[in-house]
Amino acid sequence: REMSGLCDGRVVIITGAGGGLGREYALAFAQEGASVVIKNINPAAAERTVGEIEAMGGKAVPNSNDITSHADAGLIVKAAIDAFGDLHVVVNNAGICRDRMFVSLSEQKGHFCISSHACNYWRAQAKDGKPVSGRIINTSSGAGLQGSIGQANYSAAKGGIASLTLVQAAELRRYNITANALAPSAR
């Protein structure tokens, strides 16, 4: 049977959707009728989630491009449009927590890359006079809001996501794009 509901006709990219919260988001969106791009760094995990969605009558495709590469993030957005004809929602859920002390940090930028491509797609639609109803859903965490010992890079990145979301919401509303953040385990 085909899924239907609140998200009928919507196309959603969910990063980190091979397991955990991302998988749950993917199943929920599919249950409500969305077509879902299952982005996961592990292709086998992405395929498993796609299989679960297809088994319940939903539509999904896997993707294992790198969200920390700006070029690869563009390919993820292109995959959604190629597979389902449009894009409506980006759920930036993927996060890698590699504990390191402050002196051993490295840079990661996954939420920015994919949102940048999605927003450019939606802005071009708006400029062409097409109706836009874009959604960005970013995932922060309690570590980003309260800090966490030994997780300086993760905490800083997740705190930055909360600030990024505020800026996205303010700047993108003119194109009818909303931006929200979730913070699992926040107090």
Side-chain angles (χ1 to χ4, degrees):
R1 72 179 180 88
E2 190 151 322
M3 313 277 28
S4 66
L6 183 65
C7 297
D8 285 349
R10 306 282 281 174
V11 178
V12 181
I13 295 171
I14 303 174
T15 66
L21 286 174
R23 176 184 163 273
E24 296 301 322
Y25 299 151
L27 295 174
F29 271 102
Q31 185 73 37
E32 290 296 327
S35 299
V36 187
V37 175
I38 305 299
K39 167 43 206 122
N40 206 81
I41 198 164
N42 179 337
E47 290 284 354
R48 278 193 300 275
T49 303
V50 167
E52 287 182 77
I53 290 171
E54 290 175 341
M56 62 186 210
K59 297 177 186 172
V61 295
N63 184 284
S64 59
N65 289 98
D66 181 359
I67 61 169
T68 66
S69 159
H70 197 260
D72 266 21
L75 296 175
I76 300 166
V77 170
K78 183 179 182 320
I81 297 164
D82 289 350
F84 303 118
D86 209 346
L87 175 62
H88 303 96
V89 180
V90 173
V91 179
N92 286 309
N93 172 69
I96 299 171
C97 180
R98 293 189 180 115
D99 293 353
R100 290 195 176 112
M101 297 306 277
F102 179 73
V103 295
S104 305
L105 298 182
S106 64
E107 179 183 339
Q108 300 246 331
K109 56 188 179 187
H111 281 48
F112 166 78
C113 291
I114 197 160
S115 294
S116 172
H117 286 285
C119 289
N120 282 324
Y121 170 75
W122 292 324
R123 186 175 68 175
Q125 285 185 318
K127 286 184 175 185
D128 285 345
K130 296 177 184 168
V132 174
S133 181
R135 305 289 180 257
I136 297 171
I137 304 167
N138 294 323
T139 303
S140 182
S141 80
L145 303 177
Q146 285 94 34
S148 181
I149 294 172
Q151 295 184 322
N153 58 340
Y154 181 76
S155 295
K158 292 300 183 178
I161 289 165
S163 296
L164 172 66
T165 303
L166 292 171
V167 173
Q168 287 172 328
E171 290 183 355
L172 300 173
R173 75 178 65 155
R174 75 180 82 184
Y175 304 113
N176 200 32
I177 301 166
T178 63
N180 292 282
L182 304 170
S185 298
R187 292 184 195 129

